[in-house]
Amino acid sequence: MIYREAGQFKSTYATDQAIFPIIQDRVVVLGAVVAAFLVPPLLGSEYWLQAVLIPFLVYALAALGLNLLTGYAGQLSLGTGGFMAVGAYSAFKLSTAFPWLNIILVFLLSGVIAALVGIVFGIPSLRIKGFYLAVATLASQFFLIWLFNKVPWFVNYASSGTITAPGRTVLGIVVTGPNATASARYVVALSFVVVFALLAKNLVRGRVGRAWMAIRDRDIAAEIIGVRPLRTKLLAFAISSFYCGIAGAELVFLFLGSAETLAFDITQSFLVLFMVIVGGLGSVLGSILGAAFIIVVPIFLTNVPHTLGIALSVAILKQLELMVFGGLILFFLIVEPHGLARLWQIGKEKLRLWPFPH
Amino acid sequence: MDLLNAVLVAPFADIVSNPRFFAEVLIGGVAAGLMYSLVALGFVLIFKASGVFNFAQGVMVLFAALNLVGLMDLGVPVPVALVLTMAIMVALAFAIERVVLRPLVNQEHIILFMATIGLNFFLEGFGEMLWGANVKKLDVGIPDRSFLVSGIQINQLELSAAVTAGVLVAVLAVFFQRTRIGRALRAVADDHEAALSLGIPLKTIWVVVWAVAGLVAIVAGIMWGAKSGVQFSLSLIALKALPVLILGGFTSVPGAIVGGLIIGVGEKIGEVYWGPLVGGAIENWFAYVVALAFLVFRPQGLFGERIIERV
């Protein structure tokens, strides 16, 4: 009753193949995007923008990237942190070497560099599959972090070994560096997520996405029907790393401000993997929901005992967080392997049938 | 020319000119490699018997060591603490079978793998919450003195690790090849459904294999703990067992040992002789890159079963 598509007829292929064929969906998504652009910058406090929403958007982009690789193309990767580091360090190098370059362009270029690195580390995927590949991607994680740690050129020979985001403007508004307002950073991060989520959605509906899913579901059969495995897998690695690279650049430029290699260690890779699992493997919406969920859990854990008047030490909270994350992964894999995205889908089905369940 | 010299000539000249030092590096590598093998053994056991790639093996080592140390700190005598820890690991195996594995029967392998990642984080948080996160010293009475054999230092602890690893492998080999339950384990690994239809109880088999892996984790935990103390980084060191595995093959017990030795020795020699050229600290990724390069030529590892794919 609430959610009804009856009577919405499609008479052209274009309308039938639209991303959101149902008018309610279109309205809700459009409304959500507009609200996301307007409400938080106007009403949100500095804390909410800086500590919750910006990291959520940054990780949503990274989760999107990993989901394209793991959820759609079926190549399990534990090297996300490494690719994010590539993006961050390229953005730093580009923005300091070419100060006149627009920062948006810098982000995109660092994505391209991360994509190239992704291709290099994706090459073994032709011969290595499944677990072997997952372990092999750990090689990229450790190697890249070591490289950024050891070669002083990457940090412009700074003795501290940290990279710091310089202040840059877009259309006359400072969006990065210490002088940028949280709202400005938020809008930049949101624009990236909106644009790239839409791109991803279109990508997975088309030829490329279908080839990825064919490879994921049964690679030999895919090869027989004419999907070229090397090209398809490398493209998945490239595009996934492109997303992760931009997310890494944003992590330093929009969220942290300055960072060491420690910010991109293996726990980052796992965090993004958790977002993908909890959100739903093979779902664009799931990546975003998963990122929101994983960002909110620690905040929830910190605040709830506090408001209940239970004082927990930082160490206990950290351990509790690990346990909750681990437990959630198990819970979702067992109870709802398709993650939050599937729950959302079930909810929509129910609303469609409401109040008659059958 | 200088570079070529530094890469291809100088390290070998060093080796020849100071063979005693080289021997010590070699022994250090063997000892480290055996430690990795002990962790890798647990992985192999579970993979061989149930096809589950257990990412949590490293944390199981940490968890076992934490329990042992924690109990000993409470004043429990060593043998009793050991028995209690064994009981805990067996109970853990039961819990894992009941809570994690049983609902996930027939799921894809990659799903089970991700479930063990979840298990990994849960156990890590749980173990530290129980026993605290600070570094603890584990002393179960293994002598830790060095002695000289023709001018080369040998550590007693490393020696006992080597002996332990050897004994473990022998016992496990007999267990897998000669006992009834070992045969059942192999049958389950080959084909869950076929094994079930022959009357092999899948649940029992899974509990047995996770319990055995837990016991191996205790041994590894004791060795690691005695060497470097019981602390969180133990589970990170266990990540080193992964390249050992892909080098040796996921299904081979001897592969875990040989892989461990290759990685351990290669890593130490690489670090000492070639590391300084690129700024050192290459131990973190060297093993992975060696394993990766190796995989491109032999995707199933040294002793792994060849993966035959049919359409």
Side-chain angles (χ1 to χ4, degrees):
Chain A
M1 210 51 175
I2 288 177
Y3 200 88
R4 175 172 268 194
E5 58 185 287
Q8 297 186 23
F9 301 113
K10 292 138 195 146
S11 52
T12 60
Y13 281 115
T15 49
D16 194 38
Q17 291 174 344
I19 296 187
F20 303 109
I22 305 169
I23 194 154
Q24 285 93 331
D25 275 352
R26 261 200 308 273
V27 171
V28 167
V29 169
L30 203 66
V33 170
V34 170
F37 269 109
L38 293 180
V39 177
L42 295 177
L43 299 179
S45 68
E46 188 81 8
Y47 167 77
W48 267 90
L49 282 171
Q50 189 60 43
V52 182
L53 291 173
I54 291 176
F56 151 62
L57 290 169
V58 169
Y59 281 109
L61 198 59
L64 263 174
L66 184 64
N67 213 338
L68 291 180
L69 183 65
T70 302
Y72 284 98
Q75 313 292 309
L76 183 57
S77 165
L78 300 174
T80 321
F83 296 128
M84 285 172 79
V86 173
Y89 280 78
S90 336
F92 175 69
K93 282 307 283 188
L94 284 170
S95 63
T96 48
F98 310 104
W100 39 268
L101 208 59
N102 189 312
I103 193 72
I104 302 297
L105 216 60
V106 168
F107 283 171
L108 293 176
L109 280 176
S110 14
V112 171
I113 294 171
L116 294 176
V117 177
I119 289 176
V120 172
F121 283 101
I123 289 172
S125 71
L126 185 68
R127 297 212 54 173
I128 311 170
K129 283 168 192 158
F131 310 129
Y132 284 93
L133 183 67
V135 176
T137 52
L138 276 177
S140 63
Q141 169 75 42
F142 289 124
F143 178 75
L144 289 169
I145 296 302
W146 171 85
L147 188 70
F148 294 130
N149 239 339
K150 279 293 160 200
V151 182
W153 179 78
F154 287 112
V155 293
N156 282 350
Y157 305 97
S159 55
S160 60
T162 55
I163 52 172
T164 311
R168 290 284 182 272
T169 57
V170 175
L171 305 173
I173 303 162
V174 187
V175 293
T176 62
N179 294 324
T181 59
S183 310
R185 299 180 202 197
Y186 168 81
V187 169
V188 172
L190 181 65
S191 314
F192 267 98
V193 170
V194 169
V195 169
F196 282 103
L198 203 65
L199 273 178
K201 189 84 191 166
N202 270 313
L203 202 64
V204 296
R205 296 181 333 141
R207 217 174 89 102
V208 175
R210 282 170 200 280
W212 285 348
M213 286 185 260
I215 288 281
R216 170 193 69 188
D217 291 340
R218 193 164 289 277
D219 50 354
I220 295 180
E223 209 174 329
I224 287 165
I225 59 168
V227 176
R228 273 179 279 177
L230 181 64
R231 235 183 70 164
T232 314
K233 286 180 183 174
L234 287 188
L235 193 64
F237 267 96
I239 294 179
S240 161
S241 314
F242 177 77
Y243 276 63
C244 293
I246 295 182
E250 285 188 354
L251 187 72
V252 174
F253 277 66
L254 301 179
F255 176 44
L256 296 173
S258 66
E260 294 175 43
T261 46
L262 203 65
F264 300 100
D265 68 351
I266 188 157
T267 48
Q268 288 295 353
S269 304
F270 282 120
L271 207 61
V272 179
L273 183 66
F274 287 177
M275 292 170 186
V276 172
I277 295 176
V278 169
L281 282 160
S283 158
V284 169
L285 176 70
S287 322
I288 296 168
L289 292 178
F293 194 78
I294 296 287
I295 292 290
V296 166
V297 165
I299 297 170
F300 185 78
L301 279 180
T302 333
N303 288 329
V304 166
H306 189 71
T307 44
L308 290 177
I310 308 163
L312 292 176
S313 72
V314 180
I316 296 271
L317 279 174
K318 193 78 211 145
Q319 291 149 11
L320 210 65
E321 196 183 305
L322 282 176
M323 282 175 71
V324 169
F325 276 167
L328 276 175
I329 296 297
L330 290 174
F331 175 82
F332 270 99
L333 285 174
I334 291 166
V335 179
E336 188 49 79
H338 299 287
L340 292 169
R342 176 77 186 134
L343 291 179
W344 173 246
Q345 211 180 343
I346 292 171
K348 283 204 301 190
E349 294 291 324
K350 297 257 188 235
L351 284 179
R352 212 168 270 174
L353 296 171
W354 188 84
F356 307 110
H358 297 293
Chain B
M1 208 54 215
D2 272 356
L3 186 71
L4 275 182
N5 181 54
V7 173
L8 295 176
V9 183
F12 293 105
D14 274 354
I15 291 173
V16 175
S17 65
N18 196 350
R20 206 162 273 171
F21 178 65
F22 177 70
E24 272 174 23
V25 172
L26 202 66
I27 288 169
V30 168
L34 282 170
M35 294 290 204
Y36 299 148
S37 302
L38 281 176
V39 183
L41 264 180
F43 278 104
V44 170
L45 281 176
I46 290 180
F47 191 82
K48 204 173 152 82
S50 60
V52 178
F53 184 95
N54 178 25
F55 191 82
Q57 184 66 32
V59 173
M60 278 168 69
V61 171
L62 173 69
F63 189 71
L66 272 175
N67 276 304
L68 190 60
V69 171
L71 286 169
M72 280 161 55
D73 282 351
L74 290 180
V76 182
V78 176
V80 182
L82 207 57
V83 171
L84 279 176
T85 311
M86 283 180 185
I88 290 172
M89 294 314 278
V90 172
L92 183 71
F94 269 98
I96 289 171
E97 194 277 328
R98 186 68 199 84
V99 178
V100 182
L101 294 177
R102 208 183 291 178
L104 289 176
V105 176
N106 255 340
Q107 289 277 4
E108 281 175 55
H109 285 185
I110 214 83
I111 299 282
L112 284 162
F113 171 63
M114 290 194 276
T116 61
I117 295 183
L119 189 67
N120 180 73
F121 278 77
F122 182 81
L123 276 184
E124 200 174 301
F126 186 56
E128 287 189 359
M129 187 169 279
L130 277 180
W131 304 112
N134 45 338
V135 185
K136 296 173 198 66
K137 197 161 161 42
L138 178 67
D139 185 14
V140 286
I142 304 172
D144 186 13
R145 270 197 304 275
S146 299
F147 55 90
L148 291 174
V149 177
S150 66
I152 298 161
Q153 276 216 339
I154 294 178
N155 188 299
Q156 278 179 325
L157 184 65
E158 287 168 355
L159 207 62
S160 33
V163 173
T164 318
V167 171
L168 256 185
V169 171
V171 169
L172 289 174
V174 170
F175 176 68
F176 264 100
Q177 300 296 334
R178 294 270 177 268
T179 62
R180 239 179 110 77
I181 195 137
R183 266 203 298 281
L185 291 178
R186 283 187 288 148
V188 170
D190 249 16
D191 191 333
H192 289 181
E193 285 180 10
L196 263 175
S197 62
L198 284 173
I200 294 171
L202 199 57
K203 287 181 244 167
T204 329
I205 294 299
W206 273 352
V207 172
V208 167
V209 76
W210 279 78
V212 172
L215 298 182
V216 173
I218 297 178
V219 178
I222 292 173
M223 289 302 169
W224 273 112
K227 194 181 178 193
S228 49
V230 180
Q231 53 182 318
F232 167 71
S233 65
L234 211 62
S235 66
L236 288 181
I237 298 167
L239 283 176
K240 278 284 177 58
L242 293 175
V244 169
L245 278 171
I246 53 179
L247 195 65
F250 284 153
T251 48
S252 165
V253 171
I257 302 291
V258 175
L261 291 180
I262 293 175
I263 294 280
V265 169
E267 188 176 272
K268 283 279 179 298
I269 290 179
E271 174 77 53
V272 170
Y273 290 98
W274 281 274
L277 292 177
V278 287
I282 61 172
E283 272 186 277
N284 273 337
W285 55 267
F286 186 77
Y288 281 93
V289 174
V290 168
L292 195 60
F294 188 78
L295 274 187
V296 174
F297 297 104
R298 204 179 151 84
Q300 71 274 27
L302 265 181
F303 297 92
E305 284 163 29
R306 195 168 188 81
I307 311 154
I308 299 166
E309 287 181 290
R310 292 196 181 86
V311 184

